[in-house]
Amino acid sequence: MFTIGDFARHGRVSPRMLRHYDAIGLLRPDRTAPATGYRFYGAAQLARLNRILALKDLGFTLQQVGAVLDEQVGPEELRGMLRLRRAELAEAAAAAAARLARVEARLRSIESEGRMPAEDVVIKTVPAVRVAELTGTAASYQPQDIGPVIGPLYERLFPLLEGAGIRPTGPGIARYEDEPGGSGIVVHAGVTVSAPVGAAGDTEARVVELPAFEAATVVHRGAMDDVLPAANTLARWLEANGYRSTGYAREVSLECPPDRTGWVTELQEPVAKV
C-alpha cells in the first residue's frame, strides 16, 4: 500500500489532484482509514492512473476519460472522439503555423526597416452591409484622380438621401472597380443605411447590399491623398503572410473631422489564403 503522498510521487501527480480524482469517482483509493480519513493506494492502481494521464494528454475531458475507463464508450464512439480530437489539433496547429508566419514577417519588417511598422494588418470577417451610393468614373486608382471624383459624389449624396427620407446609420464606404473595357475606374461613394434595397426611388442614388467577405484590414490616419503608404503596407503584408487579393478593396471612413489630417479610414482588402 502507498500513502497518498507516495502514490502521487510514483504517478508524477500532486496529492491535490488525487483527492480531486477521488471526489469525482475517477480514481478512488484502495482503502481509506476510518479514524483518520487517510487514503491508501495499491500498486495496481498506477495502471489506471497512467491511463487517465494518457487520455488527458490526448485532450479528453475528465468526464470523457471516466467514460472510456469504465467502458461506457464503445470502440466506434472512441474512434469518433479521436478523429474529432485529431481535427481540433490539426486546426490548432494550422493556426499556430499562421501565427508563426506573421511573427516571422514582423521580424523581417523590423530588420529591414529598423523599427516597428506604424500600421498593423488584421484579418477579419467583414459582415454584409447595406449602403446608399452614387457612382462616377475616375481615370485611375491614384489619389489625385480619385479625389476630384469622390468628393463631389459625397457632396451630392447626402442631400439626395435627405430628400428621399433616408438617414445614414453608419460610416461612409467607398469602393472601386475597373470599368468594363478598361477605360477607367468606377467609383462608388456610399454610406451605411438601414433602408431597404431600392428605397432611393427615382433619385440618382442606389441602395444596394454589399456581401460579407474575409478581409485584410489596415487603418490609415490622415487625408486620403496620403493613403498610398498604408495601401503598400497592406500589399506587402499579403505577400509576406501567404494571402492573395480576391477582389476590390473598400475604404471605410471611421472619423471625418473638418481637418483632413485627422481622418481615420480602414482599408479592407478581400483575401484568401494562397
Side-chain angles (χ1 to χ4, degrees), residues 105-127:
R106 179 61 64 90
L107 282 172
R108 288 194 298 270
S109 176
I110 294 172
E111 288 165 0
S112 64
E113 299 179 14
R115 60 179 179 83
M116 283 285 287
E119 300 91 4
D120 289 301
V121 177
V122 175
I123 297 292
K124 63 183 178 183
T125 299
V126 176

Side-chain angles (χ1 to χ4, degrees), residues 101-102 104-106 108 121 123 216 231-245 269 271-274:
R102 293 195 293 272
E104 291 175 344
R106 179 61 64 90
R108 288 194 298 270
V121 177
I123 297 292
N232 291 336
T233 294
L234 188 55
R236 289 194 301 269
W237 188 95
L238 295 184
E239 183 178 3
N241 288 272
Y243 283 87
R244 61 179 177 84
S245 176
E269 181 88 9
V271 296
K273 262 293 190 183
V274 174

Side-chain angles (χ1 to χ4, degrees), residues 1 40 60 68 84 104 106 109 197 214 248 255 265:
M1 284 289 175
F40 296 92
F60 290 136
V68 171
L84 176 61
E104 291 175 344
R106 179 61 64 90
S109 176
V197 172
E214 194 78 2
Y248 298 100
E255 292 183 15
T265 307

Side-chain angles (χ1 to χ4, degrees), residues 29-141:
D30 193 58
R31 182 172 67 85
T32 302
T36 61
Y38 289 165
R39 297 171 173 86
F40 296 92
Y41 294 83
Q45 290 183 286
L46 279 171
R48 184 176 176 92
L49 177 59
N50 287 341
R51 290 196 70 196
I52 292 171
L53 298 178
L55 291 169
K56 275 186 62 184
D57 185 62
L58 293 177
F60 290 136
T61 66
L62 291 181
Q63 183 178 5
Q64 291 172 324
V65 169
V68 171
L69 294 183
D70 295 337
E71 298 182 351
Q72 298 173 6
V73 175
E76 190 57 39
E77 186 177 353
L78 180 57
R79 277 194 290 271
M81 292 167 63
L82 288 169
R83 291 189 188 106
L84 176 61
R85 186 60 186 148
R86 180 178 62 188
E88 292 171 345
L89 290 171
E91 183 178 353
R99 190 172 294 112
L100 177 60
R102 293 195 293 272
V103 169
E104 291 175 344
R106 179 61 64 90
L107 282 172
R108 288 194 298 270
S109 176
I110 294 172
E111 288 165 0
S112 64
E113 299 179 14
R115 60 179 179 83
M116 283 285 287
E119 300 91 4
D120 289 301
V121 177
V122 175
I123 297 292
K124 63 183 178 183
T125 299
V126 176
V129 63
R130 191 170 298 160
V131 299
E133 62 181 22
L134 285 177
T135 301
T137 304
S140 77
Y141 287 104

